[in-house]
mmCIF file of all heavy atoms in Angstrom:
data_model
loop_
_atom_site.group_PDB
_atom_site.id
_atom_site.type_symbol
_atom_site.label_atom_id
_atom_site.label_comp_id
_atom_site.label_asym_id
_atom_site.label_seq_id
_atom_site.Cartn_x
_atom_site.Cartn_y
_atom_site.Cartn_z
ATOM 1 N N CYS T 304 -11.154 57.883 96.868
ATOM 2 C CA CYS T 304 -9.668 58.009 97.353
ATOM 3 C C CYS T 304 -9.196 56.707 97.672
ATOM 4 O O CYS T 304 -9.908 55.729 97.918
ATOM 5 C CB CYS T 304 -9.794 58.777 98.822
ATOM 6 S SG CYS T 304 -10.427 60.384 98.725
ATOM 7 N N GLY T 305 -7.811 56.567 97.632
ATOM 8 C CA GLY T 305 -7.100 55.346 97.817
ATOM 9 C C GLY T 305 -7.725 54.049 97.173
ATOM 10 O O GLY T 305 -7.925 54.077 95.973
ATOM 11 N N THR T 306 -8.047 53.137 97.990
ATOM 12 C CA THR T 306 -8.538 51.845 97.396
ATOM 13 C C THR T 306 -9.899 52.076 96.584
ATOM 14 O O THR T 306 -10.073 51.459 95.594
ATOM 15 C CB THR T 306 -8.804 50.843 98.537
ATOM 16 O OG1 THR T 306 -7.488 50.522 99.095
ATOM 17 C CG2 THR T 306 -9.490 49.660 98.072
ATOM 18 N N SER T 307 -10.657 53.048 97.103
ATOM 19 C CA SER T 307 -11.962 53.315 96.405
ATOM 20 C C SER T 307 -11.733 53.923 95.026
ATOM 21 O O SER T 307 -12.454 53.768 94.143
ATOM 22 C CB SER T 307 -12.871 54.117 97.170
ATOM 23 O OG SER T 307 -13.284 53.506 98.422
ATOM 24 N N ILE T 350 -17.389 56.667 95.196
ATOM 25 C CA ILE T 350 -17.046 55.279 95.876
ATOM 26 C C ILE T 350 -16.350 55.482 97.129
ATOM 27 O O ILE T 350 -15.371 56.264 97.235
ATOM 28 C CB ILE T 350 -16.225 54.513 94.890
ATOM 29 C CG1 ILE T 350 -16.862 54.404 93.498
ATOM 30 C CG2 ILE T 350 -15.999 53.051 95.513
ATOM 31 C CD1 ILE T 350 -15.909 53.660 92.501
ATOM 32 N N SER T 351 -16.995 54.926 98.288
ATOM 33 C CA SER T 351 -16.279 55.124 99.518
ATOM 34 C C SER T 351 -16.732 54.108 100.451
ATOM 35 O O SER T 351 -17.975 53.829 100.691
ATOM 36 C CB SER T 351 -16.655 56.520 100.059
ATOM 37 O OG SER T 351 -16.269 56.496 101.390
ATOM 38 N N GLN T 352 -15.842 53.278 100.964
ATOM 39 C CA GLN T 352 -16.221 52.206 101.914
ATOM 40 C C GLN T 352 -16.968 52.828 103.076
ATOM 41 O O GLN T 352 -18.049 52.303 103.407
ATOM 42 C CB GLN T 352 -14.888 51.476 102.360
ATOM 43 C CG GLN T 352 -15.128 50.272 103.282
ATOM 44 C CD GLN T 352 -15.367 50.609 104.712
ATOM 45 O OE1 GLN T 352 -16.417 50.079 105.373
ATOM 46 N NE2 GLN T 352 -14.644 51.581 105.273
ATOM 47 N N SER T 353 -16.437 53.793 103.636
ATOM 48 C CA SER T 353 -16.970 54.344 104.828
ATOM 49 C C SER T 353 -18.202 55.310 104.638
ATOM 50 O O SER T 353 -19.061 55.504 105.536
ATOM 51 C CB SER T 353 -15.922 55.200 105.642
ATOM 52 O OG SER T 353 -15.465 56.199 104.724
ATOM 53 N N GLY T 354 -18.133 55.921 103.429
ATOM 54 C CA GLY T 354 -19.154 57.035 103.120
ATOM 55 C C GLY T 354 -18.992 58.157 103.880
ATOM 56 O O GLY T 354 -19.857 59.096 104.000
ATOM 57 N N GLU T 355 -17.699 58.385 104.514
ATOM 58 C CA GLU T 355 -17.453 59.568 105.342
ATOM 59 C C GLU T 355 -16.176 60.263 104.873
ATOM 60 O O GLU T 355 -15.907 61.392 105.463
ATOM 61 C CB GLU T 355 -17.359 59.245 106.690
ATOM 62 C CG GLU T 355 -18.622 58.597 107.477
ATOM 63 C CD GLU T 355 -19.796 59.518 107.606
ATOM 64 O OE1 GLU T 355 -19.623 60.684 107.348
ATOM 65 O OE2 GLU T 355 -20.848 59.047 107.890
ATOM 66 N N THR T 356 -15.462 59.704 103.928
ATOM 67 C CA THR T 356 -14.177 60.358 103.569
ATOM 68 C C THR T 356 -14.297 61.836 103.195
ATOM 69 O O THR T 356 -15.136 62.043 102.285
ATOM 70 C CB THR T 356 -13.528 59.539 102.453
ATOM 71 O OG1 THR T 356 -13.328 58.155 102.996
ATOM 72 C CG2 THR T 356 -12.187 59.958 102.027
ATOM 73 N N SER T 359 -14.026 62.936 99.473
ATOM 74 C CA SER T 359 -15.064 62.310 98.584
ATOM 75 C C SER T 359 -16.423 62.971 98.904
ATOM 76 O O SER T 359 -17.173 63.291 97.989
ATOM 77 C CB SER T 359 -15.171 60.842 98.825
ATOM 78 O OG SER T 359 -13.890 60.212 98.675
ATOM 79 N N MET T 384 -22.799 59.969 103.007
ATOM 80 C CA MET T 384 -22.895 59.880 101.474
ATOM 81 C C MET T 384 -24.247 59.289 101.183
ATOM 82 O O MET T 384 -24.883 59.772 100.136
ATOM 83 C CB MET T 384 -21.768 59.028 100.903
ATOM 84 C CG MET T 384 -20.519 59.934 100.956
ATOM 85 S SD MET T 384 -19.217 59.029 100.057
ATOM 86 C CE MET T 384 -17.789 59.875 100.843
ATOM 87 N N VAL T 402 -7.346 48.837 108.933
ATOM 88 C CA VAL T 402 -7.151 50.103 108.112
ATOM 89 C C VAL T 402 -7.005 49.684 106.634
ATOM 90 O O VAL T 402 -7.654 50.344 105.873
ATOM 91 C CB VAL T 402 -5.985 50.860 108.708
ATOM 92 C CG1 VAL T 402 -5.575 51.946 107.692
ATOM 93 C CG2 VAL T 402 -6.341 51.545 109.963
ATOM 94 N N ALA T 403 -6.288 48.635 106.395
ATOM 95 C CA ALA T 403 -6.070 48.272 104.902
ATOM 96 C C ALA T 403 -7.429 47.683 104.427
ATOM 97 O O ALA T 403 -7.914 46.721 104.965
ATOM 98 C CB ALA T 403 -4.996 47.299 104.842
ATOM 99 N N SER T 404 -7.856 48.191 103.362
ATOM 100 C CA SER T 404 -9.219 47.770 102.772
ATOM 101 C C SER T 404 -8.932 46.455 102.006
ATOM 102 O O SER T 404 -8.061 46.574 101.149
ATOM 103 C CB SER T 404 -9.751 48.875 102.003
ATOM 104 O OG SER T 404 -11.085 48.751 101.715
ATOM 105 N N GLN T 411 -16.814 46.306 96.371
ATOM 106 C CA GLN T 411 -17.056 47.442 95.541
ATOM 107 C C GLN T 411 -16.969 47.019 94.024
ATOM 108 O O GLN T 411 -17.917 47.413 93.221
ATOM 109 C CB GLN T 411 -16.035 48.507 95.760
ATOM 110 C CG GLN T 411 -16.203 49.264 96.980
ATOM 111 C CD GLN T 411 -14.952 50.145 97.287
ATOM 112 O OE1 GLN T 411 -13.895 49.953 96.772
ATOM 113 N NE2 GLN T 411 -15.176 51.120 98.233
ATOM 114 N N GLU T 487 -3.466 49.089 93.400
ATOM 115 C CA GLU T 487 -4.030 48.688 94.699
ATOM 116 C C GLU T 487 -3.058 47.783 95.438
ATOM 117 O O GLU T 487 -2.950 47.922 96.700
ATOM 118 C CB GLU T 487 -5.393 48.042 94.390
ATOM 119 C CG GLU T 487 -6.031 47.292 95.586
ATOM 120 C CD GLU T 487 -6.346 48.316 96.795
ATOM 121 O OE1 GLU T 487 -6.259 49.481 96.640
ATOM 122 O OE2 GLU T 487 -6.572 47.775 97.794
ATOM 123 N N LEU T 490 -0.425 49.874 97.022
ATOM 124 C CA LEU T 490 -1.005 50.602 98.223
ATOM 125 C C LEU T 490 -0.925 49.727 99.402
ATOM 126 O O LEU T 490 -0.459 50.157 100.463
ATOM 127 C CB LEU T 490 -2.265 51.160 98.020
ATOM 128 C CG LEU T 490 -3.021 51.839 99.058
ATOM 129 C CD1 LEU T 490 -2.327 53.148 99.410
ATOM 130 C CD2 LEU T 490 -4.452 52.239 98.783
ATOM 131 N N LYS T 491 -1.239 48.496 99.333
ATOM 132 C CA LYS T 491 -1.213 47.507 100.346
ATOM 133 C C LYS T 491 0.243 47.414 100.956
ATOM 134 O O LYS T 491 0.410 47.401 102.170
ATOM 135 C CB LYS T 491 -1.805 46.199 100.049
ATOM 136 C CG LYS T 491 -3.313 46.231 99.665
ATOM 137 C CD LYS T 491 -4.083 46.325 101.012
ATOM 138 C CE LYS T 491 -5.478 46.975 100.854
ATOM 139 N NZ LYS T 491 -5.681 48.224 100.266
ATOM 140 N N GLU T 494 1.285 50.547 102.703
ATOM 141 C CA GLU T 494 0.382 50.821 103.885
ATOM 142 C C GLU T 494 0.800 49.904 105.056
ATOM 143 O O GLU T 494 0.849 50.374 106.168
ATOM 144 C CB GLU T 494 -1.046 50.572 103.417
ATOM 145 C CG GLU T 494 -2.077 51.094 104.336
ATOM 146 C CD GLU T 494 -3.504 50.859 103.783
ATOM 147 O OE1 GLU T 494 -3.600 50.095 102.802
ATOM 148 O OE2 GLU T 494 -4.471 51.599 104.207
ATOM 149 N N LEU T 608 -1.781 56.268 110.041
ATOM 150 C CA LEU T 608 -3.056 56.188 109.237
ATOM 151 C C LEU T 608 -4.274 56.004 110.179
ATOM 152 O O LEU T 608 -4.225 55.881 111.368
ATOM 153 C CB LEU T 608 -3.023 54.945 108.357
ATOM 154 C CG LEU T 608 -1.799 54.968 107.327
ATOM 155 C CD1 LEU T 608 -1.808 53.732 106.528
ATOM 156 C CD2 LEU T 608 -1.989 56.162 106.379
ATOM 157 N N ALA T 609 -5.426 56.093 109.599
ATOM 158 C CA ALA T 609 -6.647 55.897 110.211
ATOM 159 C C ALA T 609 -7.597 55.231 109.240
ATOM 160 O O ALA T 609 -7.392 55.395 108.039
ATOM 161 C CB ALA T 609 -7.253 57.164 110.829
ATOM 162 N N LYS T 610 -8.603 54.551 109.694
ATOM 163 C CA LYS T 610 -9.493 53.833 108.738
ATOM 164 C C LYS T 610 -10.426 54.854 108.014
ATOM 165 O O LYS T 610 -10.675 54.660 106.792
ATOM 166 C CB LYS T 610 -10.459 52.919 109.701
ATOM 167 C CG LYS T 610 -11.380 52.153 108.840
ATOM 168 C CD LYS T 610 -10.681 51.091 108.098
ATOM 169 C CE LYS T 610 -11.546 50.258 107.147
ATOM 170 N NZ LYS T 610 -10.805 49.523 106.131
ATOM 171 N N SER T 611 -10.929 55.924 108.674
ATOM 172 C CA SER T 611 -11.844 56.747 107.964
ATOM 173 C C SER T 611 -11.173 58.209 108.034
ATOM 174 O O SER T 611 -10.980 58.766 109.097
ATOM 175 C CB SER T 611 -13.117 56.718 108.768
ATOM 176 O OG SER T 611 -14.012 57.542 108.197
ATOM 177 N N VAL T 612 -10.910 58.766 106.826
ATOM 178 C CA VAL T 612 -10.262 59.959 106.708
ATOM 179 C C VAL T 612 -11.268 61.124 106.522
ATOM 180 O O VAL T 612 -11.552 61.604 105.503
ATOM 181 C CB VAL T 612 -9.295 59.905 105.503
ATOM 182 C CG1 VAL T 612 -8.426 61.169 105.511
ATOM 183 C CG2 VAL T 612 -8.414 58.716 105.632
HETATM 184 C C1 LIG I 1 -6.964 51.432 101.827
HETATM 185 O O1 LIG I 1 -6.371 50.268 102.236
HETATM 186 C C2 LIG I 1 -6.797 52.617 102.563
HETATM 187 N N1 LIG I 1 -6.908 52.415 104.009
HETATM 188 C C3 LIG I 1 -7.372 53.982 102.036
HETATM 189 O O2 LIG I 1 -6.775 54.210 100.823
HETATM 190 C C4 LIG I 1 -8.950 53.982 101.848
HETATM 191 O O3 LIG I 1 -9.392 53.190 100.819
HETATM 192 C C5 LIG I 1 -9.276 55.458 101.535
HETATM 193 O O4 LIG I 1 -8.941 56.265 102.641
HETATM 194 C C6 LIG I 1 -10.761 55.743 101.108
HETATM 195 O O5 LIG I 1 -11.567 55.383 102.186
HETATM 196 P P1 LIG I 1 -13.145 55.189 101.837
HETATM 197 O O6 LIG I 1 -13.326 54.118 100.908
HETATM 198 O O7 LIG I 1 -13.797 54.861 103.224
HETATM 199 O O8 LIG I 1 -13.626 56.464 101.326
#
Side-chain angles (χ1 to χ4, degrees):
C304 300
T306 292
S307 294
I350 307 174
S351 171
Q352 184 281 133
S353 61
E355 301 293 350
T356 301
S359 307
M384 285 183 203
V402 165
S404 198
Q411 284 168 344
E487 173 58 14
L490 178 61
K491 291 287 154 308
E494 192 177 23
L608 298 176
K610 182 73 184 159
S611 179
V612 187

